[in-house]
Amino acid sequence: MPISLQLINLMAALLLLIAFAMLSQRRILSLIYLFAWQGAVLAANSVIVAWSTGQTHLYYSALVTFALKVVVLPWILHRLIIRLNIKWDVETLINIPTTMLAGIALVIISFNLALPISQLAGTITRGTLGIAIAIVLLSFLMMITRRKAVPQVIGFLAMENGLFFAATSTTYGMPMVVELGIALDVLIGMVILGIFFFQVREAFDSLDLKHMEKLREE
């Protein structure tokens, strides 16, 4: 097996481990750090794929990924939790062992879904498609099992990481114009969500989404 393929498989395994760590994490600050590490591994994977395939546009993609998901977004999230004085503990709707078992089931489903697609793909990274789908599903599971708004937003951002990894696995990434557009949308979305967090905090003195559910019922 070529060294480049071994490194790509290693990056995929690290991304999956980080996704499980985020799923089991109980502290918001640690969740932000794990998201930054996920972005760093994603950027490193793009560099490895670019080096092994000659897809030079992936170098620029890796640079944008590192700047946005390792530096800018974690910094914004960190500033938000400080300004909002959010409790460090993450409240979950389901206990952690049950959530992890559900995550393992999602990984099995992901590999079964990716198998026929991987057989048709012609890229050297086609074997990592199952992990990419698993990251998306695990991030979605993290979103629906958290009570607070900030962990749900981090789950949404992690899901976008999984989609980006899936694009790299199947087609060696998206056109640079598309990637820059997505990066800008994500950045603007974070600014809007930051304003939304402050508005919710002022209205309910909490970021627990159960207050919004009560408001909807009224």
Side-chain angles (χ1 to χ4, degrees):
M1 183 181 294
I3 184 65
S4 59
L5 187 55
Q6 294 181 36
L7 290 174
I8 290 170
N9 290 335
L10 175 62
M11 294 299 106
L14 288 175
L15 286 172
L16 186 60
L17 287 175
I18 293 173
F20 270 106
M22 294 175 73
L23 191 63
S24 63
Q25 188 53 243
R26 293 181 178 273
R27 297 177 63 84
I28 294 179
L29 186 60
S30 299
L31 199 58
I32 294 174
Y33 289 153
L34 286 170
F35 172 73
W37 275 109
Q38 191 179 55
V41 175
L42 198 62
N45 180 75
S46 297
V47 171
I48 295 170
V49 174
W51 168 67
S52 59
T53 62
Q55 303 287 330
T56 55
H57 73 279
L58 287 176
Y59 288 114
Y60 302 104
S61 176
L63 182 61
V64 172
T65 299
F66 186 87
L68 182 66
K69 299 179 180 180
V70 181
V71 180
V72 177
L73 290 180
W75 179 80
I76 292 175
L77 289 167
H78 191 264
R79 294 294 298 174
L80 277 174
I81 63 174
I82 292 176
R83 292 286 301 275
L84 292 168
N85 193 24
I86 300 174
K87 292 181 179 179
W88 299 109
D89 293 337
V90 177
E91 297 182 17
T92 59
L93 296 174
I94 307 174
N95 61 65
I96 297 300
T98 303
T99 304
M100 297 297 285
L101 288 174
I104 294 173
L106 289 177
V107 171
I108 296 172
I109 293 172
S110 300
F111 276 96
N112 287 329
L113 288 175
L115 184 59
I117 303 175
S118 301
Q119 292 175 346
L120 296 175
T123 61
I124 64 170
T125 54
R126 62 182 182 270
T128 62
L129 181 59
I131 293 180
I133 297 175
I135 294 170
V136 173
L137 294 180
L138 290 174
S139 300
F140 182 72
L141 180 62
M142 185 176 75
M143 286 179 61
I144 65 177
T145 56
R146 296 297 189 269
R147 299 184 65 92
K148 302 293 185 181
V150 175
Q152 290 189 352
V153 169
I154 296 175
F156 174 78
L157 294 173
M159 184 185 299
E160 196 273 331
N161 285 345
L163 292 173
F164 179 84
F165 186 58
T168 305
S169 301
T170 54
T171 62
Y172 295 143
M174 297 170 285
M176 182 54 59
V177 175
V178 176
E179 292 184 12
L180 290 175
I182 293 174
L184 182 61
D185 289 342
V186 170
L187 187 58
I188 293 174
M190 276 304 304
V191 173
I192 295 173
L193 286 170
I195 298 172
F196 171 74
F197 290 158
F198 281 104
Q199 294 293 331
V200 172
R201 183 60 178 268
E202 289 180 3
F204 302 107
D205 196 30
S206 173
L207 286 177
D208 196 323
L209 295 181
K210 67 181 181 181
H211 297 297
M212 299 186 69
E213 293 175 359
K214 293 178 179 178
L215 182 63
R216 184 184 61 183
E217 292 173 0
E218 294 176 357

